[in-house]
Amino acid sequence: MRKRYTWVLVVVAMALVAAACGSTATTTTTTAGPSSVQTTTTAGEAPVVTTTTTAPTTAAPAATMATARGVDADAKVITLGLLADLTGLFAPLVIDITDAQKVYWDNVNAAGGIDGWTVELVIEDTNYDVEQHLEKYEKIRGDVVAISQSTGSPTNVATLDLYKEDSMLVIPLSWYSGWAIPEFDGGVMLEQNTNYCVEAMNLLDFINEMGGTTIALATFPGDYGQDAAAGVKIAAEFYGMEIVYDGEAAVIPGQDQTSVIQGIVDSGADWTFLTTNPSIGAEILAGAVQAGYTGFFTAPGPSYNAALLDSPVGPLYDAVYYQSAYNVAWGVDTPGNNEMMEAMSAEFPDRRPSDSFISGWNEAITMHKVLAAAIANYDLTPEGVVAAANGLTSVAFGGSAPDQSYAGTPNDYVQRSLAIFKPDLALYTAAGGADQTLSQADGTTGSRLEKDFFVGDAAAQYDFNQACYEL
């Protein structure tokens, strides 16, 4: 809690003025209380004597920062954790997200930190595996004040009770709709961007706008795939669409996807809505097209990676796929994006462009805002950091993503806006394809803006007061 100390200055003045011809003298005496400071000033022929007495004051004690786990008050160092999938299903995306966070905090520290407080990161690879996630959390839980990126829905759901027990603020790299519901997450999960459920509603709004009326649905099980599936079904009813193949939870990683592919093909749907990781999504998309399916595809953000344009399925994605996006793409001119691109290009001039850098950078901006609020409140304890996060009324990303608020009820603050990209293989190839580097002025991921940030009717009218998919 921020402590405010008010300095009280009491000045009571009494003036005595005497005037005389020739030699003129003016004396002013101010008295209040028993102690005094006297000043005598002579100006020309008119001496001025001023006596000022001020009441004794009791100096306010210096404000003390409350600290606990993960904060070194003497060195003014704050330690944050990252539980990142650096080797599992989403590693190609998460490596870039994690590196963006590292560069962001390096720059903040180099510029003097947050009011002199610097930030250190402890990064653990969880392999997108629940058991490894729990193990790595156990390893760092006593050393960090908060977690600025934690990959995965099932992993975070499995660890949620421990987060609550520790008052551990976590920014999930997961867009499960339950993260916006305090009764579910205990207020410790600081969601970013829209969620899978609302995202799906907006994608169906886009499909409706494109003239689609029938949907094939194929998703992972659990809070990733089935939260998105819930949004698809809500919006399908809203727009009067028909789900002609319901493959909710039918896509099991590591298993044969033939039955899912055949279900999509047999449905003859205008559009297929996938919720998978990029590699399995590509397997299903390519399999369905090769089997004669002629509809279009779309999916939530984590289902796509621009690196697919380097693979044999690149032309298929260019032809039939539309991608949901939480942020603008690499190369887009906004103040926030320009700052990120300059920093990443300076650090990794030989890396290739990635839209995932923006996600990591914006997560770090959010955590920066949280820590700045906690410092202003003189409370860097875990509980103080959680309280600071839940008091944020606005987080701005300089135009690289819609601003975020955490004020009010879930229906007030849930982010409902997203953009839609079209993979553009010609654009990507012309810029150099996989050989592009971050130092290249016209670098692109081939993510061409199809529709700027918007909120469809189904998402706008949805009364969001609980998770769309209940665990």
Side-chain angles (χ1 to χ4, degrees), residues 40-59:
T40 301
T41 304
T42 301
E45 298 298 323
V48 178
V49 178
T50 302
T51 302
T52 303
T53 303
T54 57
T57 59
T58 301

Side-chain angles (χ1 to χ4, degrees), residues 97 100-101 104-105 148 171 190 192-193 326-328 334 336-337 340 355-369 395-404 406 453:
I97 288 169
Q101 287 217 16
Y104 180 91
W105 289 116
S148 62
I171 296 181
L190 197 64
Q192 188 112 344
N193 312 122
Y326 310 135
N327 311 300
V328 300
T334 78
N337 217 33
M340 180 278 299
D355 298 335
S356 296
F357 288 139
I358 307 166
S359 295
W361 190 267
N362 286 349
E363 285 179 332
I365 287 175
T366 300
M367 184 57 77
H368 187 156
K369 191 88 172 179
V395 180
F397 303 106
S400 66
D403 293 352
Q404 190 99 26
Y406 300 96
F453 290 100

Side-chain angles (χ1 to χ4, degrees), residues 174-208:
S174 155
W175 293 266
Y176 170 51
S177 62
W179 304 141
I181 307 297
E183 291 78 9
F184 171 73
D185 75 351
V188 299
M189 304 299 282
L190 197 64
E191 80 280 3
Q192 188 112 344
N193 312 122
T194 191
N195 58 58
Y196 301 128
C197 179
V198 174
E199 179 179 26
M201 294 183 203
N202 281 321
L203 287 170
L204 258 68
D205 183 89
F206 176 71
I207 291 172
N208 182 59

